[in-house]
Amino acid sequence: MTDKILYNFGLRIILALTTILCFLFLALWLSPALKPKTESIVVYTPPSTDQILPPQVLLNVPFTSQAPFGNWNDPRQDSGCEEASILMAMLWVKGQESITPEEAEKEIIALSEFEQKNYGFFHDTSTQDTLMVLKNYFGYKKAFAVFDIEKKDIKAELARGNLVIVPIDGTIVDNIYYTPPGPSRHKIVIVGYDDVAGVFITNDPGTKNGRGYRYNYQVLENSLMDYLTGFNEPVNEIRKSMIVVQK
């Protein structure tokens, strides 16, 4: 009889503990701090045909060359246009008005080493992979890629107050400061446009004179070209793309 009482008592304790544990698990699951987090989805809205854009837009974006001290012999800086471009974008997001050459060089090298360590590349970075690096290195999610674009798409995003990063074939833009023939795979930041002059205003990290560098609308649109991640990988298909960065 005593054994039966002890057995029933033990069984009730086990059931009680099980019930308590279930309630604790449920409470923890419902806690806002522990709920699974889903990344917000940014939906691209193409410009409408009847959208009227302002004749001029200019965003205040800090500038850095990809080789702040002219150390083009360092492959991390010689191939650092993507890193410099997303660095400028994030400085703009944070409201920072400038960056010293020392800080810029340190960040560009750190970005390159982050890419090499985590992904096995840093030379040429496609639009999608550049976006991935921006999001993962800086932990910033308010950016997205758009493909098969035209100049009107770039202008529309700038008019919305967003920053635009584009991949280009730098050999056909006639930048007087490039070492001829210019970089065949290159990324630049578009910070504004001017309809009166018919130009995009850019921060081009491929030269120390790249702050506010102006490219004719048609010249820049013709140069738009996504390229593969790697090192001088052949471009078999021309796709015009952009990374849109929002504040």
Side-chain angles (χ1 to χ4, degrees):
M1 188 68 176
T2 302
D3 291 341
K4 185 175 182 180
I5 292 172
L6 289 174
Y7 173 79
N8 290 335
F9 181 70
L11 186 60
R12 289 176 183 176
I13 289 176
I14 292 171
L15 289 173
L17 289 173
T18 303
T19 303
I20 291 170
L21 288 173
C22 287
F23 275 115
L24 285 173
F25 177 79
L26 183 62
L28 288 171
W29 176 254
L30 293 176
S31 170
L34 295 177
K35 285 182 180 178
K37 293 180 174 62
T38 56
E39 182 178 326
S40 59
I41 299 174
V42 182
V43 179
Y44 173 64
T45 305
S48 61
T49 55
D50 58 350
Q51 183 180 0
I52 299 175
L53 302 179
Q56 295 176 320
V57 171
L58 182 60
L59 304 177
N60 184 21
V61 182
F63 171 76
T64 180
S65 161
Q66 64 196 68
F69 292 102
N71 188 9
W72 297 96
N73 291 324
D74 182 348
R76 298 167 299 181
Q77 296 178 64
D78 187 48
S79 299
C81 59
E82 297 94 349
E83 292 79 7
S85 292
I86 62 178
L87 174 59
M88 286 187 274
M90 290 308 302
L91 292 172
W92 170 75
V93 165
K94 296 173 182 177
Q96 190 169 331
E97 295 185 355
S98 63
I99 185 171
T100 67
E102 291 83 3
E103 292 170 330
E105 183 182 68
K106 181 179 178 181
E107 278 295 331
I108 290 165
I109 291 174
L111 273 160
S112 296
E113 292 179 345
F114 171 83
E115 293 170 67
Q116 184 63 45
K117 178 181 178 181
N118 290 279
Y119 312 119
F121 58 77
F122 72 85
H123 287 91
D124 302 326
T125 314
S126 70
T127 293
Q128 286 284 22
D129 285 340
T130 301
L131 176 63
M132 174 184 68
V133 172
L134 183 153
K135 289 185 172 184
N136 291 344
Y137 184 84
F138 290 101
Y140 191 71
K141 306 302 181 184
K142 295 176 68 175
F144 57 95
V146 187
F147 291 85
D148 305 317
I149 63 169
E150 301 175 26
K151 65 182 178 184
K152 64 182 178 65
D153 300 296
I154 298 173
K155 291 176 63 179
E157 288 304 327
L158 293 166
R160 291 167 179 161
N162 298 328
L163 198 62
V164 175
I165 299 172
V166 294
I168 66 170
D169 177 355
T171 66
I172 62 174
V173 295
D174 296 323
N175 187 314
I176 62 174
Y177 296 112
Y178 287 168
T179 300
S184 60
R185 296 157 183 79
H186 190 47
K187 279 193 175 62
I188 63 175
V189 183
I190 303 183
V191 302
Y193 65 83
D194 184 342
D195 280 342
V196 176
V199 296
F200 283 112
I201 306 167
T202 74
N203 275 3
D204 186 335
T207 164
K208 66 180 181 180
N209 300 299
R211 182 195 298 273
Y213 196 91
R214 296 181 168 221
Y215 288 107
N216 173 272
Y217 281 152
Q218 201 58 52
V219 169
L220 187 64
E221 184 175 37
N222 290 343
S223 75
L224 294 173
M225 179 192 75
D226 195 13
Y227 45 84
L228 297 175
T229 294
F231 186 54
N232 290 332
E233 297 294 325
V235 178
N236 298 318
E237 178 188 13
I238 302 296
R239 292 198 72 185
K240 301 178 185 296
S241 63
M242 65 180 173
I243 296 172
V244 178
V245 183
Q246 302 171 320
K247 268 195 176 181

